[in-house]
Amino acid sequence: MVVQYYDPFHECMPLAELVSYSERRLVETRTMERASRSLLYQERWATAGVLPSEICSYADLRRIPLTNGSHIRQALERFDPQQLVCSESVRLWASTSGTTGMPKWIPRADEDLAFSREMIGRFAYMGTGGPKELPVGVLGGGATLGFNAPAPAVTDALPATSALDGMLLQLPGETIPINYTEAEDALLFSLRRKPQYFVAFPSIAMRVAEVLGAQAPAAARRELAERFTLTRLLAYLVTRVKKIRPRDLLPFQWGVFSGEPLEPYRQAIRQAFGFEPSDAYASTEFLGMMRDCFRHEGIHLWLDCCLAELLPEEEIERTEANPEYLPRTIPIWKADPGQRGDLVVTNFAQAFPLVRYRTSDLVQVVSAQCCACGRTHPRIRILHRSDDVVNVGIARFSIVDLQQQLEGAPGLQRWQLRVGRTGYKPRMVLQAEVSPRPAEEAAWKKQALERLLSVGDLRVAFDNRLILEPIIEIVSALAEQRTYSGKLRRVIYEEDTGSQGGNDGTLN
Ligand SMILES: [Zn+2]
């Protein structure tokens, strides 16, 4: 087995060297000085007495207050965008989806786009190591089917921008980027183009698998009517006598999945599509895309491109109890395997450097040991959001919005939402203490269900069968689970409590 690297020098640099390399870059790129021009940081850094010239290492960073998504939103509201930009010129503004209200707009300079391009180079080579997983450049082309979210979620336009990067890097291959709201047409077209690679959200991939299973006979019949061949007749007959699997129609060689954790879908995707799926992580704020290697043992976090820290779960709770508290973090390479917390990053971006940016993505450290692929960068798994955004598969909503909706439910005292799965499908159970107990329980539950489905994009997700119908339960007392500061937990992820349902990858 030959492992290929895009940039072997940086990808395989010993960990200790990597750490000092990124500390050196922090100084040489003058990131702190550049960031201090932005009104995003100025006020809070001045209050904390931060002198940018004194920040040269992981240890120094600890003196700087954390910045999070709300800080960016507030800064965008308060200031002229130009007062947040740290470079001479901007080439592109990228926006987040704005689940919790206002989208965040992030500027990128030419240097940032060049950096992202380098990361696409690494990305393309990450799957090397198995006979089926050669990079596009080695295979000499082939089509990639990429499912995106609708505009303006620019993060999700990554397959399209990556295709441009691929052109600039002269990686061969074609891309079919498709908005998942037009999935049906897209699938019929893709059947004809026979893409070899697949980029999607895991839940969308499995929905594709379900739709294909249901629609394959019709599609095969249509093809047969258009032009009769023996192969097509056989294909048609096959769809009649056995349960069609997407792997029979779309012979993908590999697929990369992001936007939600791959883990609960892994087995189902493997069964449906016949390849070992890869896990990827990207965000609009943080430049570059990261993914797992052919070992599939966690996403490699590029330590030469950022200084990465872990904000442990107990520290997150302390911060919730007291927003002024300066929490203690651990450099990610010092965290124990299995340790969980928020990912905090400092990068060297030109237009919008992140300095101790708390992503609010809860991650689990897999290992900081050198990987079997030869790469030395620590490996992590992305679990879910740690702020007031709730992930239910691909669907997201804010707890604040849900609270507002539920306030109108008659007699509702306290509630708790449990987010779990049945098979790979996300499922929510809303438990409610209601007093007085409603005379018409069924009607009350129906109304509560409507209120729940009205937040975020739950309705769309439910209508498109990306999540199962939420269950509403009226209980006499909630099973109390409290935070460090004693507050009742509003949302309980069953994967956190170990009460996760079966992961049998049921394909309906
Ligand atoms: Zn690896």
Side-chain angles (χ1 to χ4, degrees):
M1 184 184 293
V2 181
V3 184
Q4 298 183 51
Y5 309 100
Y6 178 75
D7 178 359
F9 177 75
H10 290 108
E11 290 177 43
C12 305
M13 187 184 271
L15 183 61
E17 284 177 39
L18 264 180
V19 170
S20 45
Y21 177 83
S22 56
E23 289 179 329
R24 234 177 15 252
R25 274 192 86 184
L26 181 69
V27 177
E28 286 169 2
T29 55
R30 307 174 81 89
T31 294
M32 292 303 302
E33 186 194 311
R34 208 167 50 255
S36 67
R37 290 183 212 158
S38 172
L39 293 188
L40 170 64
Y41 302 117
Q42 258 177 29
E43 232 170 48
R44 283 174 304 117
W45 287 11
T47 311
V50 174
L51 287 177
S53 57
E54 289 179 354
I55 309 298
C56 307
S57 65
Y58 273 97
D60 299 336
L61 277 179
R62 288 192 187 151
R63 288 153 36 196
I64 303 180
L66 300 184
T67 292
N68 60 31
S70 323
H71 292 124
I72 297 183
R73 275 194 209 92
Q74 285 160 18
L76 281 165
E77 267 180 7
R78 282 175 64 199
F79 308 119
D80 184 297
Q82 188 55 37
Q83 295 173 299
L84 308 179
V85 174
C86 302
S87 58
E88 295 304 319
S89 61
V90 171
R91 179 65 72 185
L92 177 75
W93 286 89
S95 116
T96 59
S97 58
T99 309
T100 50
M102 203 172 85
K104 285 168 275 178
W105 286 92
I106 311 293
R108 285 183 186 156
D110 283 327
E111 293 89 338
D112 301 324
L113 297 176
F115 168 79
S116 291
R117 201 148 53 239
E118 283 294 299
M119 293 300 107
I120 290 293
R122 287 193 196 182
F123 187 91
Y125 279 73
M126 285 294 277
T128 61
K132 280 184 161 185
E133 301 198 72
L134 293 167
V136 181
V138 175
L139 281 175
T144 299
L145 174 63
F147 274 90
N148 305 349
V154 182
T155 309
D156 302 314
L158 266 173
T161 52
S162 304
L164 293 177
D165 287 334
M167 291 174 215
L168 291 163
L169 290 170
Q170 299 190 323
L171 294 172
E174 62 189 74
T175 306
I176 315 172
I178 285 153
N179 181 334
Y180 64 68
T181 55
E182 295 152 14
E184 204 170 309
D185 285 349
L187 281 173
L188 291 176
F189 177 77
S190 301
L191 279 173
R192 297 163 64 194
R193 198 61 203 148
K194 298 191 173 31
Q196 291 159 285
Y197 318 112
F198 195 17
V199 178
F201 301 89
S203 56
I204 297 281
M206 283 317 297
R207 187 69 197 121
V208 165
E210 293 161 12
V211 170
L212 273 185
Q215 291 196 344
R221 212 163 38 236
R222 218 162 20 239
E223 276 214 2
L224 190 65
E226 277 170 19
R227 198 155 52 101
F228 178 85
T229 66
L230 190 59
T231 330
R232 284 193 176 137
L233 177 63
L234 284 174
Y236 173 64
L237 291 176
V238 162
T239 64
R240 299 294 300 267
V241 296
K242 71 168 186 182
K243 188 172 165 61
I244 194 79
R245 293 166 309 175
R247 61 205 283 180
D248 302 322
L249 293 164
L250 291 167
F252 292 126
Q253 294 186 18
W254 57 252
V256 183
F257 300 89
S258 66
E260 61 186 312
L262 171 62
E263 205 38 65
Y265 298 95
R266 187 186 290 276
Q267 169 70 3
I269 289 176
R270 197 189 288 133
Q271 271 176 10
F273 292 102
F275 60 76
E276 187 61 45
S278 278
D279 203 359
Y281 175 60
S283 82
T284 308
E285 300 93 309
F286 184 68
L287 292 169
M289 203 168 187
M290 290 174 275
R291 62 174 279 194
D292 62 6
C293 62
F294 69 93
R295 301 283 302 190
H296 307 294
E297 289 165 358
I299 293 169
H300 280 285
L301 179 61
W302 297 124
L303 268 200
D304 59 325
C305 304
C306 67
L307 280 78
E309 300 166 83
L310 191 80
L311 175 62
E313 278 183 306
E314 55 278 15
E315 290 290 301
I316 295 175
E317 297 199 348
R318 286 200 173 97
T319 316
E320 281 168 5
N322 172 18
E324 300 304 312
Y325 174 70
L326 184 62
R328 278 184 298 241
T329 60
I330 323 168
I332 205 123
W333 37 275
K334 280 191 182 168
D336 294 328
Q339 196 165 2
R340 294 155 41 120
D342 252 15
L343 179 63
V344 174
V345 288
T346 299
N347 69 6
F348 317 118
Q350 197 69 26
F352 199 77
L354 299 175
V355 178
R356 297 204 90 200
Y357 182 68
R358 181 179 160 191
T359 60
S360 295
D361 282 324
L362 192 74
V363 305
Q364 182 168 40
V365 173
V366 175
S367 172
Q369 298 290 313
C370 181
C371 178
C373 74
R375 293 178 181 88
T376 47
H377 301 249
R379 283 162 287 140
I380 58 169
R381 282 210 172 88
I382 315 292
L383 302 174
H384 55 73
R385 301 286 300 173
S386 64
D387 54 9
D388 76 342
V389 176
V390 182
N391 300 79
V392 186
I394 193 177
R396 291 174 174 197
F397 61 90
S398 122
I399 299 179
V400 180
D401 290 349
L402 179 57
Q403 173 61 30
Q404 274 173 4
Q405 270 304 318
L406 292 178
E407 272 165 15
L412 178 64
Q413 304 298 317
R414 300 190 307 165
W415 59 270
Q416 228 166 18
L417 186 70
R418 308 184 82 88
V419 180
R421 290 177 194 271
T422 301
Y424 57 77
K425 284 266 173 170
R427 168 185 47 77
M428 290 182 289
V429 180
L430 180 75
Q431 294 182 321
E433 290 176 1
V434 189
S435 175
R437 204 159 172 122
E440 300 285 339
E441 283 199 13
W444 192 95
K445 287 181 184 177
K446 191 162 179 274
Q447 196 203 71
L449 176 65
E450 286 309 308
R451 288 177 185 277
L452 172 60
L453 287 175
S454 73
V455 294
D457 41 18
L458 284 181
R459 168 66 67 189
V460 178
F462 176 59
D463 287 349
N464 286 284
R465 296 198 232 165
L466 294 169
I467 59 171
L468 294 171
E469 181 170 314
I471 298 167
I472 311 290
E473 286 177 1
I474 298 176
V475 295
S476 45
L478 296 173
E480 303 224 342
Q481 275 204 32
R482 293 185 174 272
T483 65
Y484 177 81
S485 56
K487 279 199 297 191
L488 185 72
R489 276 192 196 285
R490 290 289 195 198
V491 177
I492 296 162
Y493 288 93
E494 288 184 354
E495 64 190 30
D496 288 355
T497 58
S499 53
Q500 179 81 0
N503 185 18
D504 56 358
T506 323
L507 179 56
N508 302 311

